[in-house]
Structure formats: structure tokens, C-alpha cells
Amino acid sequence: MPNSFKTGDVVRLKSGGPEMTISDGAASGTYLCHWFNREGDVWTPQHAGFKPDQLVVVEERK
């Protein structure tokens, strides 16, 4: 599904890791993703850009 992500999609790196939310696609071909890291009771927001071939869509929960 490369190059077909849209804002709000929940994705994960193909190599694993936390679920992330796509917030924007850049002209450079990367997608800005946001997620939270948890340390004890503290949740810290994180973000980074990833190429589409690094990401997979997380199946919807029912």
C-alpha cells in the first residue's frame, strides 16, 4: 500500500514498534507520524518522518 496513506491512518513500522498516526504527507515522499512513548505513568508524545515502504497499515479494531 505504498504512497496511499492518508491523514488519520494508523500505521506501524514493518519492523515493529508502536502504533502511529499519519498526520501529514510531505512532497519529499515521507509521512509524518505521531505516537506516544510510555515510561511508568508518563506518556510522552513523539513524532518522526518515515518513507512509505517502511510502513504498514494496522488492521482496524472491531
Side-chain angles (χ1 to χ4, degrees):
M1 187 182 274
N3 300 319
S4 61
F5 301 111
K6 60 186 180 307
T7 300
D9 282 350
V10 178
V11 297
R12 175 174 291 153
L13 287 170
K14 286 181 178 178
S15 60
E19 292 183 2
M20 305 179 288
T21 302
I22 300 279
S23 67
D24 195 18
S28 64
T30 61
Y31 288 91
L32 182 60
C33 299
H34 293 268
W35 69 96
F36 290 91
N37 282 344
R38 181 179 182 188
E39 292 184 28
D41 291 337
V42 177
W43 291 85
T44 306
Q46 304 288 312
H47 67 275
F50 298 98
K51 294 183 178 188
D53 60 349
Q54 295 175 292
L55 303 170
V56 293
V57 172
V58 173
E59 295 296 321
E60 286 188 36
R61 296 181 194 108
K62 300 199 181 210

Short mmCIF file of all heavy atoms in Angstrom, two decimals:
data_model
loop_
_atom_site.label_atom_id
_atom_site.label_comp_id
_atom_site.label_asym_id
_atom_site.label_seq_id
_atom_site.Cartn_x
_atom_site.Cartn_y
_atom_site.Cartn_z
N MET A 1 0.81 -1.19 0.00
CA MET A 1 0.00 0.00 0.00
C MET A 1 0.87 1.27 0.00
O MET A 1 0.46 2.28 0.49
CB MET A 1 -0.91 -0.04 1.23
CG MET A 1 -1.92 1.08 1.24
SD MET A 1 -2.93 1.05 2.74
CE MET A 1 -4.20 -0.09 2.25
N PRO A 2 2.06 1.26 -0.55
CA PRO A 2 2.89 2.45 -0.56
C PRO A 2 2.22 3.63 -1.24
O PRO A 2 1.47 3.46 -2.18
CB PRO A 2 4.15 2.03 -1.33
CG PRO A 2 4.14 0.56 -1.33
CD PRO A 2 2.71 0.14 -1.19
N ASN A 3 2.51 4.82 -0.74
CA ASN A 3 2.03 6.08 -1.31
C ASN A 3 0.52 6.25 -1.24
O ASN A 3 -0.02 7.12 -1.90
CB ASN A 3 2.52 6.24 -2.75
CG ASN A 3 4.02 6.26 -2.83
OD1 ASN A 3 4.68 6.85 -2.00
ND2 ASN A 3 4.56 5.60 -3.82
N SER A 4 -0.18 5.44 -0.47
CA SER A 4 -1.62 5.61 -0.39
C SER A 4 -2.09 5.86 1.04
O SER A 4 -3.26 5.68 1.33
CB SER A 4 -2.32 4.38 -0.98
OG SER A 4 -1.99 3.23 -0.25
N PHE A 5 -1.19 6.26 1.90
CA PHE A 5 -1.58 6.59 3.27
C PHE A 5 -2.25 7.95 3.30
O PHE A 5 -1.95 8.82 2.49
CB PHE A 5 -0.36 6.60 4.19
CG PHE A 5 0.38 5.30 4.24
CD1 PHE A 5 1.64 5.20 3.69
CD2 PHE A 5 -0.18 4.18 4.83
CE1 PHE A 5 2.34 4.00 3.73
CE2 PHE A 5 0.50 2.98 4.87
CZ PHE A 5 1.76 2.90 4.31
N LYS A 6 -3.18 8.12 4.24
CA LYS A 6 -3.84 9.41 4.37
C LYS A 6 -3.85 9.83 5.83
O LYS A 6 -3.66 9.00 6.73
CB LYS A 6 -5.26 9.37 3.81
CG LYS A 6 -6.18 8.37 4.47
CD LYS A 6 -7.51 8.30 3.73
CE LYS A 6 -8.45 7.32 4.36
NZ LYS A 6 -7.97 5.99 4.57
N THR A 7 -4.07 11.10 6.06
CA THR A 7 -4.11 11.63 7.42
C THR A 7 -5.11 10.84 8.25
O THR A 7 -6.22 10.59 7.81
CB THR A 7 -4.51 13.13 7.39
OG1 THR A 7 -3.52 13.83 6.64
CG2 THR A 7 -4.60 13.70 8.79
N GLY A 8 -4.68 10.42 9.43
CA GLY A 8 -5.53 9.67 10.34
C GLY A 8 -5.32 8.17 10.27
O GLY A 8 -5.78 7.44 11.17
N ASP A 9 -4.65 7.67 9.23
CA ASP A 9 -4.37 6.23 9.16
C ASP A 9 -3.49 5.82 10.33
O ASP A 9 -2.57 6.55 10.72
CB ASP A 9 -3.66 5.86 7.86
CG ASP A 9 -4.57 5.78 6.67
OD1 ASP A 9 -5.81 5.82 6.85
OD2 ASP A 9 -4.04 5.67 5.54
N VAL A 10 -3.76 4.65 10.89
CA VAL A 10 -2.93 4.08 11.96
C VAL A 10 -1.98 3.09 11.30
O VAL A 10 -2.41 2.18 10.59
CB VAL A 10 -3.79 3.41 13.05
CG1 VAL A 10 -2.90 2.79 14.12
CG2 VAL A 10 -4.74 4.42 13.66
N VAL A 11 -0.69 3.31 11.51
CA VAL A 11 0.34 2.50 10.87
C VAL A 11 1.35 2.02 11.90
O VAL A 11 1.34 2.45 13.05
CB VAL A 11 1.07 3.32 9.77
CG1 VAL A 11 0.13 3.72 8.67
CG2 VAL A 11 1.77 4.54 10.35
N ARG A 12 2.22 1.15 11.44
CA ARG A 12 3.32 0.63 12.26
C ARG A 12 4.49 0.42 11.30
O ARG A 12 4.30 0.16 10.12
CB ARG A 12 2.91 -0.69 12.89
CG ARG A 12 4.02 -1.37 13.67
CD ARG A 12 3.55 -2.58 14.39
NE ARG A 12 2.68 -2.11 15.46
CZ ARG A 12 1.69 -2.81 16.00
NH1 ARG A 12 1.43 -4.02 15.57
NH2 ARG A 12 0.96 -2.31 16.96
N LEU A 13 5.70 0.52 11.81
CA LEU A 13 6.86 0.17 11.00
C LEU A 13 6.81 -1.31 10.66
O LEU A 13 6.38 -2.13 11.48
CB LEU A 13 8.16 0.47 11.76
CG LEU A 13 8.53 1.93 11.91
CD1 LEU A 13 9.70 2.07 12.87
CD2 LEU A 13 8.85 2.55 10.57
N LYS A 14 7.24 -1.67 9.48
CA LYS A 14 7.27 -3.08 9.08
C LYS A 14 8.13 -3.90 10.05
O LYS A 14 7.87 -5.08 10.25
CB LYS A 14 7.82 -3.23 7.66
CG LYS A 14 6.85 -2.79 6.61
CD LYS A 14 7.42 -2.97 5.22
CE LYS A 14 6.41 -2.57 4.17
NZ LYS A 14 6.96 -2.69 2.81
N SER A 15 9.11 -3.26 10.66
CA SER A 15 9.99 -3.96 11.59
C SER A 15 9.41 -4.04 13.00
O SER A 15 10.03 -4.62 13.88
CB SER A 15 11.35 -3.25 11.64
OG SER A 15 11.19 -1.91 12.06
N GLY A 16 8.22 -3.45 13.22
CA GLY A 16 7.57 -3.49 14.53
C GLY A 16 7.55 -2.12 15.17
O GLY A 16 7.82 -1.12 14.53
N GLY A 17 7.21 -2.09 16.44
CA GLY A 17 7.17 -0.83 17.17
C GLY A 17 5.75 -0.41 17.48
O GLY A 17 4.80 -1.16 17.25
N PRO A 18 5.60 0.81 18.00
CA PRO A 18 4.28 1.27 18.43
C PRO A 18 3.38 1.62 17.25
O PRO A 18 3.86 1.88 16.14
CB PRO A 18 4.60 2.54 19.24
CG PRO A 18 5.85 3.05 18.62
CD PRO A 18 6.63 1.82 18.23
N GLU A 19 2.08 1.63 17.51
CA GLU A 19 1.14 2.12 16.51
C GLU A 19 1.32 3.63 16.43
O GLU A 19 1.53 4.30 17.44
CB GLU A 19 -0.29 1.77 16.90
CG GLU A 19 -0.56 0.30 16.83
CD GLU A 19 -2.01 -0.06 17.15
OE1 GLU A 19 -2.83 0.85 17.39
OE2 GLU A 19 -2.30 -1.26 17.15
N MET A 20 1.25 4.17 15.22
CA MET A 20 1.45 5.59 14.98
C MET A 20 0.31 6.10 14.12
O MET A 20 -0.30 5.33 13.37
CB MET A 20 2.78 5.83 14.26
CG MET A 20 3.98 5.25 14.96
SD MET A 20 5.54 5.51 14.07
CE MET A 20 5.36 4.39 12.69
N THR A 21 0.06 7.39 14.17
CA THR A 21 -0.98 8.01 13.36
C THR A 21 -0.32 8.92 12.33
O THR A 21 0.52 9.75 12.67
CB THR A 21 -1.94 8.84 14.23
OG1 THR A 21 -2.50 7.97 15.22
CG2 THR A 21 -3.06 9.44 13.40
N ILE A 22 -0.72 8.75 11.06
CA ILE A 22 -0.23 9.61 10.00
C ILE A 22 -0.86 10.99 10.18
O ILE A 22 -2.08 11.12 10.31
CB ILE A 22 -0.64 9.07 8.61
CG1 ILE A 22 -0.08 7.67 8.36
CG2 ILE A 22 -0.27 10.06 7.50
CD1 ILE A 22 1.35 7.62 7.90
N SER A 23 -0.02 12.04 10.19
CA SER A 23 -0.58 13.39 10.32
C SER A 23 -0.38 14.21 9.05
O SER A 23 -1.09 15.18 8.85
CB SER A 23 0.02 14.12 11.52
OG SER A 23 1.38 14.37 11.31
N ASP A 24 0.58 13.82 8.21
CA ASP A 24 0.83 14.60 7.01
C ASP A 24 1.74 13.84 6.07
O ASP A 24 2.60 13.09 6.51
CB ASP A 24 1.48 15.94 7.40
CG ASP A 24 1.47 16.97 6.29
OD1 ASP A 24 0.68 16.82 5.34
OD2 ASP A 24 2.24 17.94 6.39
N GLY A 25 1.54 14.05 4.78
CA GLY A 25 2.45 13.52 3.77
C GLY A 25 3.25 14.67 3.19
O GLY A 25 2.69 15.73 2.91
N ALA A 26 4.54 14.49 3.03
CA ALA A 26 5.40 15.56 2.53
C ALA A 26 5.70 15.36 1.05
O ALA A 26 5.66 14.24 0.53
CB ALA A 26 6.71 15.57 3.32
N ALA A 27 6.01 16.45 0.38
CA ALA A 27 6.37 16.39 -1.03
C ALA A 27 7.61 15.52 -1.25
O ALA A 27 7.80 14.97 -2.32
CB ALA A 27 6.62 17.79 -1.55
N SER A 28 8.42 15.37 -0.20
CA SER A 28 9.64 14.56 -0.31
C SER A 28 9.32 13.06 -0.33
O SER A 28 10.22 12.25 -0.50
CB SER A 28 10.57 14.86 0.85
OG SER A 28 9.97 14.48 2.08
N GLY A 29 8.06 12.71 -0.14
CA GLY A 29 7.68 11.30 -0.15
C GLY A 29 7.67 10.65 1.21
O GLY A 29 7.48 9.45 1.32
N THR A 30 7.89 11.42 2.28
CA THR A 30 7.83 10.86 3.62
C THR A 30 6.50 11.21 4.27
O THR A 30 5.82 12.14 3.86
CB THR A 30 8.98 11.38 4.51
OG1 THR A 30 8.86 12.80 4.64
CG2 THR A 30 10.33 11.03 3.94
N TYR A 31 6.15 10.44 5.29
CA TYR A 31 4.93 10.68 6.05
C TYR A 31 5.30 11.02 7.48
O TYR A 31 6.09 10.31 8.10
CB TYR A 31 4.03 9.44 6.04
CG TYR A 31 3.38 9.21 4.71
CD1 TYR A 31 3.99 8.42 3.76
CD2 TYR A 31 2.16 9.80 4.40
CE1 TYR A 31 3.40 8.21 2.52
CE2 TYR A 31 1.55 9.60 3.18
CZ TYR A 31 2.18 8.80 2.24
OH TYR A 31 1.60 8.61 1.02
N LEU A 32 4.71 12.10 8.01
CA LEU A 32 4.94 12.48 9.40
C LEU A 32 3.99 11.66 10.26
O LEU A 32 2.78 11.64 10.03
CB LEU A 32 4.68 13.96 9.61
CG LEU A 32 4.93 14.48 11.03
CD1 LEU A 32 6.38 14.25 11.44
CD2 LEU A 32 4.57 15.95 11.11
N CYS A 33 4.56 10.95 11.24
CA CYS A 33 3.79 10.07 12.12
C CYS A 33 3.94 10.53 13.57
O CYS A 33 4.99 11.02 13.97
CB CYS A 33 4.30 8.64 12.02
SG CYS A 33 4.16 7.93 10.37
N HIS A 34 2.87 10.34 14.35
CA HIS A 34 2.86 10.68 15.77
C HIS A 34 2.49 9.45 16.58
O HIS A 34 1.66 8.65 16.15
CB HIS A 34 1.84 11.80 16.05
CG HIS A 34 2.21 13.09 15.44
ND1 HIS A 34 2.94 14.05 16.09
CD2 HIS A 34 1.96 13.60 14.20
CE1 HIS A 34 3.13 15.08 15.29
NE2 HIS A 34 2.54 14.83 14.14
N TRP A 35 3.10 9.32 17.76
CA TRP A 35 2.80 8.23 18.68
C TRP A 35 3.18 8.68 20.08
O TRP A 35 3.71 9.76 20.28
CB TRP A 35 3.53 6.95 18.29
CG TRP A 35 5.01 6.99 18.47
CD1 TRP A 35 5.71 6.52 19.56
CD2 TRP A 35 5.99 7.52 17.58
NE1 TRP A 35 7.06 6.74 19.38
CE2 TRP A 35 7.26 7.36 18.16
CE3 TRP A 35 5.93 8.14 16.33
CZ2 TRP A 35 8.43 7.77 17.55
CZ3 TRP A 35 7.10 8.55 15.73
CH2 TRP A 35 8.33 8.35 16.34
N PHE A 36 2.91 7.84 21.07
CA PHE A 36 3.25 8.13 22.46
C PHE A 36 4.15 7.04 23.00
O PHE A 36 3.92 5.86 22.75
CB PHE A 36 1.99 8.20 23.34
CG PHE A 36 1.14 9.40 23.06
CD1 PHE A 36 0.13 9.34 22.11
CD2 PHE A 36 1.36 10.59 23.73
CE1 PHE A 36 -0.66 10.44 21.84
CE2 PHE A 36 0.58 11.69 23.47
CZ PHE A 36 -0.43 11.62 22.52
N ASN A 37 5.18 7.44 23.74
CA ASN A 37 6.02 6.51 24.50
C ASN A 37 5.57 6.57 25.95
O ASN A 37 5.27 7.64 26.46
CB ASN A 37 7.50 6.89 24.42
CG ASN A 37 8.13 6.49 23.12
OD1 ASN A 37 7.60 5.68 22.37
ND2 ASN A 37 9.28 7.08 22.83
N ARG A 38 5.56 5.42 26.60
CA ARG A 38 5.14 5.37 28.00
C ARG A 38 6.32 4.95 28.87
O ARG A 38 6.97 3.94 28.61
CB ARG A 38 4.00 4.38 28.18
CG ARG A 38 3.53 4.31 29.60
CD ARG A 38 2.38 3.36 29.74
NE ARG A 38 1.92 3.34 31.11
CZ ARG A 38 1.04 2.50 31.57
NH1 ARG A 38 0.50 1.60 30.77
NH2 ARG A 38 0.67 2.54 32.83
N GLU A 39 6.56 5.75 29.91
CA GLU A 39 7.56 5.42 30.92
C GLU A 39 6.86 5.53 32.26
O GLU A 39 6.61 6.63 32.75
CB GLU A 39 8.75 6.36 30.84
CG GLU A 39 9.57 6.18 29.58
CD GLU A 39 10.80 7.06 29.55
OE1 GLU A 39 11.32 7.39 30.64
OE2 GLU A 39 11.23 7.41 28.46
N GLY A 40 6.50 4.39 32.85
CA GLY A 40 5.73 4.39 34.09
C GLY A 40 4.35 4.97 33.83
O GLY A 40 3.62 4.49 32.97
N ASP A 41 3.99 6.03 34.56
CA ASP A 41 2.69 6.67 34.38
C ASP A 41 2.77 7.88 33.44
O ASP A 41 1.78 8.59 33.26
CB ASP A 41 2.15 7.15 35.73
CG ASP A 41 1.76 5.99 36.63
OD1 ASP A 41 1.50 4.89 36.09
OD2 ASP A 41 1.73 6.18 37.86
N VAL A 42 3.94 8.11 32.83
CA VAL A 42 4.12 9.29 31.99
C VAL A 42 4.09 8.89 30.51
O VAL A 42 4.81 7.99 30.08
CB VAL A 42 5.46 9.98 32.31
CG1 VAL A 42 5.70 11.16 31.39
CG2 VAL A 42 5.51 10.40 33.76
N TRP A 43 3.22 9.55 29.75
CA TRP A 43 3.12 9.35 28.31
C TRP A 43 3.76 10.55 27.62
O TRP A 43 3.38 11.69 27.88
CB TRP A 43 1.66 9.22 27.88
CG TRP A 43 1.02 7.97 28.37
CD1 TRP A 43 0.46 7.75 29.58
CD2 TRP A 43 0.90 6.75 27.65
NE1 TRP A 43 -0.03 6.48 29.68
CE2 TRP A 43 0.23 5.83 28.49
CE3 TRP A 43 1.27 6.33 26.39
CZ2 TRP A 43 -0.07 4.54 28.09
CZ3 TRP A 43 0.96 5.04 26.00
CH2 TRP A 43 0.31 4.16 26.85
N THR A 44 4.73 10.31 26.74
CA THR A 44 5.44 11.39 26.06
C THR A 44 5.14 11.33 24.56
O THR A 44 5.37 10.30 23.92
CB THR A 44 6.96 11.24 26.27
OG1 THR A 44 7.22 11.16 27.67
CG2 THR A 44 7.71 12.41 25.67
N PRO A 45 4.63 12.44 23.99
CA PRO A 45 4.36 12.45 22.55
C PRO A 45 5.66 12.45 21.75
O PRO A 45 6.65 13.08 22.15
CB PRO A 45 3.57 13.74 22.32
CG PRO A 45 3.88 14.61 23.49
CD PRO A 45 4.25 13.70 24.63
N GLN A 46 5.66 11.72 20.65
CA GLN A 46 6.82 11.60 19.76
C GLN A 46 6.35 11.81 18.32
O GLN A 46 5.18 11.60 18.01
CB GLN A 46 7.45 10.22 19.89
CG GLN A 46 7.86 9.82 21.27
CD GLN A 46 9.07 10.57 21.75
OE1 GLN A 46 10.06 10.69 21.04
NE2 GLN A 46 8.99 11.11 22.96
N HIS A 47 7.27 12.14 17.44
CA HIS A 47 6.95 12.21 16.02
C HIS A 47 8.22 12.02 15.19
O HIS A 47 9.33 12.29 15.67
CB HIS A 47 6.27 13.53 15.66
CG HIS A 47 7.16 14.72 15.81
ND1 HIS A 47 7.34 15.35 17.02
CD2 HIS A 47 7.95 15.36 14.93
CE1 HIS A 47 8.19 16.36 16.86
NE2 HIS A 47 8.58 16.38 15.61
N ALA A 48 8.03 11.52 13.97
CA ALA A 48 9.15 11.34 13.04
C ALA A 48 8.58 11.13 11.65
O ALA A 48 7.40 10.79 11.49
CB ALA A 48 10.00 10.14 13.45
N GLY A 49 9.42 11.31 10.65
CA GLY A 49 9.03 11.07 9.26
C GLY A 49 9.54 9.72 8.79
O GLY A 49 10.66 9.32 9.13
N PHE A 50 8.70 9.01 8.02
CA PHE A 50 9.07 7.70 7.50
C PHE A 50 8.70 7.60 6.04
O PHE A 50 7.71 8.19 5.59
CB PHE A 50 8.35 6.58 8.27
CG PHE A 50 8.69 6.54 9.73
CD1 PHE A 50 7.85 7.13 10.66
CD2 PHE A 50 9.85 5.93 10.16
CE1 PHE A 50 8.15 7.11 12.00
CE2 PHE A 50 10.16 5.90 11.51
CZ PHE A 50 9.32 6.49 12.44
N LYS A 51 9.48 6.83 5.29
CA LYS A 51 9.16 6.57 3.89
C LYS A 51 8.02 5.55 3.83
O LYS A 51 7.90 4.69 4.72
CB LYS A 51 10.38 6.04 3.15
CG LYS A 51 11.47 7.09 3.06
CD LYS A 51 12.64 6.59 2.26
CE LYS A 51 13.67 7.71 2.17
NZ LYS A 51 14.74 7.38 1.26
N PRO A 52 7.18 5.62 2.80
CA PRO A 52 6.02 4.73 2.75
C PRO A 52 6.38 3.24 2.72
O PRO A 52 5.62 2.42 3.25
CB PRO A 52 5.28 5.14 1.48
CG PRO A 52 6.24 5.95 0.70
CD PRO A 52 7.22 6.54 1.67
N ASP A 53 7.53 2.89 2.15
CA ASP A 53 7.88 1.47 2.11
C ASP A 53 8.34 0.93 3.46
O ASP A 53 8.58 -0.26 3.61
CB ASP A 53 8.92 1.19 1.02
CG ASP A 53 10.22 1.94 1.20
OD1 ASP A 53 10.28 2.86 2.04
OD2 ASP A 53 11.17 1.63 0.47
N GLN A 54 8.43 1.80 4.47
CA GLN A 54 8.77 1.37 5.83
C GLN A 54 7.52 1.07 6.66
O GLN A 54 7.64 0.54 7.75
CB GLN A 54 9.57 2.46 6.55
CG GLN A 54 10.92 2.75 5.94
CD GLN A 54 11.58 3.91 6.63
OE1 GLN A 54 11.12 5.05 6.53
NE2 GLN A 54 12.65 3.62 7.36
N LEU A 55 6.34 1.46 6.16
CA LEU A 55 5.11 1.43 6.95
C LEU A 55 4.10 0.41 6.45
O LEU A 55 4.05 0.13 5.25
CB LEU A 55 4.45 2.81 6.94
CG LEU A 55 5.30 3.98 7.43
CD1 LEU A 55 4.61 5.29 7.12
CD2 LEU A 55 5.58 3.84 8.92
N VAL A 56 3.28 -0.09 7.38
CA VAL A 56 2.12 -0.91 7.04
C VAL A 56 0.93 -0.40 7.84
O VAL A 56 1.09 0.11 8.95
CB VAL A 56 2.33 -2.42 7.35
CG1 VAL A 56 3.38 -3.01 6.44
CG2 VAL A 56 2.70 -2.64 8.79
N VAL A 57 -0.25 -0.50 7.26
CA VAL A 57 -1.47 -0.08 7.94
C VAL A 57 -1.82 -1.12 9.00
O VAL A 57 -1.74 -2.33 8.76
CB VAL A 57 -2.63 0.07 6.94
CG1 VAL A 57 -3.95 0.32 7.66
CG2 VAL A 57 -2.34 1.20 5.98
N VAL A 58 -2.21 -0.65 10.18
CA VAL A 58 -2.67 -1.53 11.26
C VAL A 58 -4.14 -1.85 11.00
O VAL A 58 -4.92 -0.95 10.69
CB VAL A 58 -2.49 -0.84 12.63
CG1 VAL A 58 -3.11 -1.67 13.74
CG2 VAL A 58 -1.03 -0.58 12.91
N GLU A 59 -4.49 -3.12 11.10
CA GLU A 59 -5.88 -3.53 10.87
C GLU A 59 -6.79 -2.83 11.86
O GLU A 59 -6.43 -2.64 13.02
CB GLU A 59 -6.01 -5.04 11.02
CG GLU A 59 -5.24 -5.82 9.99
CD GLU A 59 -5.75 -5.60 8.58
OE1 GLU A 59 -6.97 -5.51 8.38
OE2 GLU A 59 -4.90 -5.50 7.66
N GLU A 60 -7.98 -2.45 11.39
CA GLU A 60 -8.96 -1.80 12.26
C GLU A 60 -9.41 -2.74 13.37
O GLU A 60 -9.56 -3.94 13.14
CB GLU A 60 -10.19 -1.38 11.45
CG GLU A 60 -9.94 -0.19 10.58
CD GLU A 60 -11.23 0.31 9.96
OE1 GLU A 60 -12.29 0.26 10.64
OE2 GLU A 60 -11.18 0.73 8.81
N ARG A 61 -9.58 -2.18 14.55
CA ARG A 61 -10.10 -2.96 15.68
C ARG A 61 -11.61 -2.94 15.61
O ARG A 61 -12.21 -1.94 15.24
CB ARG A 61 -9.66 -2.34 17.00
CG ARG A 61 -8.17 -2.39 17.18
CD ARG A 61 -7.82 -1.78 18.53
NE ARG A 61 -6.41 -1.50 18.58
CZ ARG A 61 -5.87 -0.32 18.53
NH1 ARG A 61 -6.62 0.75 18.45
NH2 ARG A 61 -4.57 -0.15 18.57
N LYS A 62 -12.22 -4.03 15.99
CA LYS A 62 -13.69 -4.08 15.97
C LYS A 62 -14.24 -4.17 17.34
O LYS A 62 -13.66 -4.54 18.27
CB LYS A 62 -14.15 -5.25 15.13
CG LYS A 62 -13.63 -5.08 13.73
CD LYS A 62 -14.40 -5.91 12.78
CE LYS A 62 -13.76 -5.67 11.42
NZ LYS A 62 -14.54 -5.76 10.34
#
